[in-house]
Amino acid sequence: MSFIITDRCTACDACRVACPTQAVSKGSPIYKIDRDACNNCEGVMGGPRCMPICPESGAIIFQPEA
Ligand code: SF4
Ligand code: SF4
């Protein structure tokens, strides 16, 4: 829905494994978040999982709906 992966992604796979809605898919060279599948981790304790688990600063960013 509102998180996107930027070209700072190093394809480490952490966010794909952590995502509760299987919204993240492998890509080359960067991973991708399916905006329709991502629900911003609604209902997940602690909030969005992908962004805090990502080791690369700026690789996952919040992008409000256009
Ligand atoms: S915010 Fe949550 S549901 Fe959306 S991509 Fe990240 S981990 Fe998956
Ligand atoms: S956790 Fe960050 S660096 Fe790793 S695959 Fe996801 S976006 Fe890329």
Side-chain angles (χ1 to χ4, degrees), residues 5-62:
I5 294 174
T6 74
D7 59 8
R8 296 185 65 91
C9 171
T10 57
C12 75
D13 208 41
C15 59
R16 187 186 65 81
V17 174
C19 177
T21 65
Q22 287 82 50
V24 184
S25 55
K26 290 184 181 183
S28 181
I30 66 169
Y31 277 37
K32 187 172 169 36
I33 292 175
D34 179 343
R35 290 174 75 91
D36 293 328
C38 171
N39 69 353
N40 296 339
C41 283
E42 205 173 290
V44 174
M45 205 162 11
R49 284 185 176 167
C50 56
M51 199 160 65
I53 210 172
C54 177
E56 300 299 324
S57 175
I60 301 178
I61 59 172
F62 185 74

